[in-house]
Amino acid sequence: MMPSSDMASNATDTDFTVWGADQAAYGPVELPTLVSWVRGERVTADTWIFDAKNGAWRKAAQIPELQMFFRPKSGGARMTAPVEGIDPRFLRRVKILADLTDEQLGRFAGFMETEKVAPWRVVVKQGDCEDSMYLILEGEFRVRVCNGDKETILATLGAGEFFGDISLFDHGPRSADVVSNMDGVLLKITSAAIGKLAAEEPAVALPFLMAVGKTLAARIRSDNKRYFDSVKFARAAA
């Protein structure tokens, strides 16, 4: 049941009142706030909004000031298509994808594969030569090296992080095992997929590769600092 216009009787001619999914009215708010709610997906195309200027309730997609946000975008079929049930916007939790637009995320997802993993599964094995990188969408993974029966954990990775990026470029042996600690979901990126992405969607491939490069550079700088600090300490102790 839609609310009566009395609920927005105090609104000015430029104000809007939003009828929420919880059957409560929010507002009145001005257009900039309403736009921010649309961008944040608090307001969808089917959300009912009272437009004080026209004195009527309409769906968000029918309000002229908001229609630009609900128009189909180029490449829309790929943008909205899920990857094995995963909404492309779900990928935004991955840090190196945070700067991609929803449209770019949709195109990016079309070149990737998802893998659901069970607890204790060895996703990559030390010494194996592969060409795949993994983005963690859900779960927790430990990076380890083994010496006989002894396991040394080098790092623990969670949702939003990634691993295997070096092998993506040099196809070389894995430097450590990566094992799932619980049920998880991974996005797998192969070298062939990256090549195809670069050829067909360079505007998407470039920011992704730049983000990977910046992360690798930060790791190298951090490793260099630890090395130089250890050298300074050793010299000071000598």
Side-chain angles (χ1 to χ4, degrees):
M1 178 178 177
M2 288 301 303
S4 70
S5 59
D6 292 340
M7 298 184 68
S9 59
N10 295 325
T12 70
D13 286 348
T14 59
D15 284 338
F16 302 88
T17 300
V18 175
W19 188 245
D22 56 355
Q23 304 301 299
Y26 294 88
V29 297
E30 295 184 350
L31 183 60
T33 299
L34 183 60
V35 169
S36 72
W37 289 1
V38 173
R39 292 184 183 277
E41 299 179 8
R42 292 177 59 185
V43 171
T44 67
D46 292 326
T47 300
W48 285 97
I49 297 175
F50 182 79
D51 181 355
K53 181 178 180 180
N54 295 289
W57 286 92
R58 291 185 288 178
K59 290 188 176 182
Q62 298 172 336
I63 294 177
E65 295 89 340
L66 301 180
Q67 287 177 348
M68 63 179 292
F69 299 104
F70 301 113
R71 290 174 186 151
K73 301 176 183 177
S74 59
R78 206 174 225 173
M79 174 185 144
T80 58
V83 181
E84 294 188 10
I86 294 178
D87 188 323
R89 289 170 295 186
F90 188 64
L91 305 181
R92 196 171 296 285
R93 67 173 53 185
V94 180
K95 298 170 187 175
I96 59 172
L97 302 180
D99 291 334
L100 296 181
T101 65
D102 286 349
E103 183 178 359
Q104 288 175 322
L105 283 173
R107 298 204 301 270
F108 177 86
F111 292 86
M112 309 303 140
E113 306 170 25
T114 53
E115 287 190 9
K116 294 182 179 180
V117 296
W120 313 114
R121 175 185 161 188
V122 178
V123 181
V124 300
K125 185 172 180 58
Q126 183 179 6
D128 285 355
C129 292
E130 299 177 350
D131 68 346
S132 299
M133 172 182 173
Y134 295 86
L135 310 181
I136 303 174
L137 300 184
E138 292 181 2
E140 181 182 86
F141 298 78
R142 67 184 185 274
V143 183
R144 73 179 187 187
V145 292
C146 294
N147 184 6
D149 295 332
K150 183 178 180 181
E151 175 185 89
T152 301
I153 298 177
L154 305 179
T156 300
L157 306 176
E161 298 182 283
F162 62 90
F163 58 90
D165 39 298
I166 295 177
S167 293
L168 180 69
F169 299 106
D170 70 2
H171 305 179
R174 302 291 192 184
S175 58
D177 295 338
V178 179
V179 184
S180 59
N181 289 339
M182 59 180 69
D183 289 326
V185 179
L186 297 170
L187 190 71
K188 180 180 179 181
I189 310 169
T190 65
S191 180
I194 285 295
K196 187 175 180 182
L197 179 69
E200 298 182 13
E201 299 285 356
V204 178
L206 179 59
F208 168 72
L209 293 174
M210 287 291 291
V212 173
K214 287 179 181 179
T215 303
L216 288 173
R219 289 178 184 170
I220 293 171
R221 289 183 184 277
S222 178
D223 289 343
N224 286 344
K225 185 178 185 304
R226 282 197 296 268
Y227 172 74
F228 287 123
D229 287 346
S230 65
V231 170
K232 287 171 61 178
F233 178 80
R235 289 176 176 174

